Amino acid sequence: MTKPHMLTFDTYETWDIGPMESEYVLHQIPDSGQVSDLSEEVRNQIKAIAFKGHSYLSSEMIDALPNLEIIANYGVGYDTIDVPHATTKGIPVTNTPDVLTDDVADLAVGLVIAKSRDIVGAAKYVTSGDWAEKGNYLLQTKVSGKKVGIVGLGRIGRSVAERLQPFNMDIHYYARSAKITPGWTHHDDICAMANIVDILIICLSGGPDTKGMVDKAALEALGSEGLLVNVSRGTTVDEEALLDALENRTIAGAALDVFLKEPNINPRFLKLDNVLLQPHQSSGTVETRKVMGQLQRDNLAAHFAGKPLLTQVN
Ligand code: 8YV
């Protein structure tokens, strides 16, 4: 059987490239690459996209591939793909849900603890010799028993809450409607929730519906003792308002894995001493990335075998 031609975005690990090469003729373009960079002959051949990364797969790019049959995303979030356009063209889009939930939730909890206890600053205090020279480290902020507000109680938000419950935290969550929980408090207003919690953790999915949902008012409500953690998408926060709040210390600090512009984040972040910044690495473990790649390939294989897709989003 002849191998279908497939376009891959961004870089893949060798453990992904090998299995993809054995099933498909691969055409690779970088994360910010353009489909229009490919020759017309190649564009006509492409039947599948193995999408990865955080640039935008636009309607124009989709239209430039007249024989495209499927877009398989490497990641749970598909806000960087014009899914409505793919849908109107009858092109299925798949993602990789569930398999990365543990990792993202683990990192969210890690960020809460690392930022509250300043683990990174304290480690530098030892290695720089400051401990021996200057004495005990500054006292930090307790984690256990705090009031936490989870913004978005999907798979990841729920897993974050479940992990924080054994820390005797009082768990609040924002969602459009109340969900079945082990006694967590529902809010339908982010500001009202931010006003009463110590820590706000954003676990929303990205896209136009959640754009700027954590806004200036929500940050004001969180207040000068409040910690913001974001493991969702940079778009879910009003980033200018967040930078103002951090610079003016109207919130205590933030631990962020995601930004509006990645990896070229707003340079104002780099001047702050009340942030813990991460390079969008929440699903970035060897174990999880292997399973994400497998699920992406399983969806592609199902499509070309004429079988039902495993995790279709449209
Ligand atoms: C990325 C993510 O997919 O799953 C998501 O939505 O944000 C990440 O896991 C990953 O960084 C690969 O680009």
Side-chain angles (χ1 to χ4, degrees):
M1 210 184 79
T2 55
K3 292 179 183 177
H5 286 246
M6 182 159 81
L7 181 59
T8 67
F9 280 75
D10 203 356
T11 49
Y12 279 86
E13 304 291 338
T14 46
W15 60 67
D16 288 318
I17 296 281
M20 283 199 283
E21 268 176 350
S22 70
E23 299 294 324
Y24 306 96
V25 178
L26 294 189
H27 302 273
Q28 287 168 275
I29 57 176
D31 186 19
S32 54
Q34 292 300 315
V35 172
S36 53
D37 295 343
L38 301 168
S39 71
E40 191 181 356
E41 189 193 353
V42 169
R43 282 193 277 111
N44 286 338
Q45 286 171 325
I46 286 166
K47 292 198 166 171
I49 293 180
F51 192 71
K52 187 169 182 254
H54 299 280
S55 59
Y56 194 63
L57 183 59
S58 64
S59 56
E60 291 78 18
M61 286 163 107
I62 293 171
D63 288 344
L65 304 169
N67 296 309
L68 184 64
E69 294 177 13
I70 180 168
I71 301 167
N73 186 39
Y74 178 98
V76 64
Y78 45 87
D79 50 308
T80 48
I81 299 172
D82 192 336
V83 177
H85 187 71
T87 307
T88 59
K89 299 192 79 175
I91 298 171
V93 180
T94 63
N95 69 341
T96 60
D98 300 317
V99 295
L100 47 66
T101 302
D102 277 346
D103 274 4
V104 182
D106 290 352
L107 191 80
V109 173
L111 290 177
V112 168
I113 301 173
K115 181 73 190 80
S116 300
R117 302 296 304 268
D118 194 20
I119 292 175
V120 175
K124 283 189 197 142
Y125 198 68
V126 178
T127 50
S128 66
D130 279 355
W131 186 23
E133 207 175 292
K134 299 179 183 166
N136 289 339
Y137 198 57
L138 280 178
L139 299 182
Q140 300 299 322
T141 306
K142 180 167 173 154
V143 172
S144 288
K146 284 287 155 70
K147 247 185 210 170
V148 64
I150 312 282
V151 186
L153 203 74
R155 287 173 283 238
I156 292 171
R158 187 174 284 275
S159 294
V160 173
E162 284 166 355
R163 280 161 171 73
L164 291 176
Q165 197 157 22
F167 286 80
N168 296 322
M169 287 205 183
D170 180 8
I171 309 231
H172 295 247
Y173 68 98
Y174 162 83
R176 272 192 295 259
S177 55
K179 313 235 178 184
I180 297 167
T181 67
W184 304 336
T185 308
H186 172 244
H187 297 258
D188 56 14
D189 183 297
I190 296 179
C191 279
M193 181 173 81
N195 199 32
I196 58 162
V197 299
D198 307 296
I199 304 163
L200 200 63
I201 307 180
I202 312 175
C203 300
L204 295 163
S205 47
D209 293 349
T210 57
K211 190 166 181 287
M213 262 177 96
V214 175
D215 57 10
K216 187 168 186 258
L219 295 168
E220 270 165 19
L222 183 59
S224 59
E225 303 288 306
L227 168 65
L228 181 81
V229 176
N230 192 1
V231 289
S232 65
R233 284 290 184 266
T235 52
T236 60
V237 191
D238 177 340
E239 201 170 89
E240 288 296 314
L242 173 59
L243 283 159
D244 291 344
L246 288 163
E247 284 168 358
N248 301 324
R249 299 192 182 268
T250 53
I251 66 170
L256 309 167
D257 188 44
V258 287
F259 305 85
L260 265 189
K261 291 207 174 96
E262 298 174 8
N264 299 309
I265 67 172
N266 189 318
R268 287 168 69 192
F269 279 115
L270 308 181
K271 298 204 177 90
L272 296 166
D273 62 2
N274 52 354
V275 289
L276 174 56
L277 308 177
Q278 295 286 294
H280 196 148
Q281 63 122 343
S282 60
S283 69
T285 65
V286 171
E287 295 89 334
T288 293
R289 289 292 170 89
K290 283 188 173 170
V291 188
M292 285 167 69
Q294 186 64 56
L295 182 52
Q296 183 184 41
R297 290 194 297 281
D298 288 348
N299 273 299
L300 291 160
H303 171 77
F304 287 108
K307 293 186 180 156
L309 301 176
L310 285 81
T311 49
Q312 185 173 350
V313 303
N314 59 344

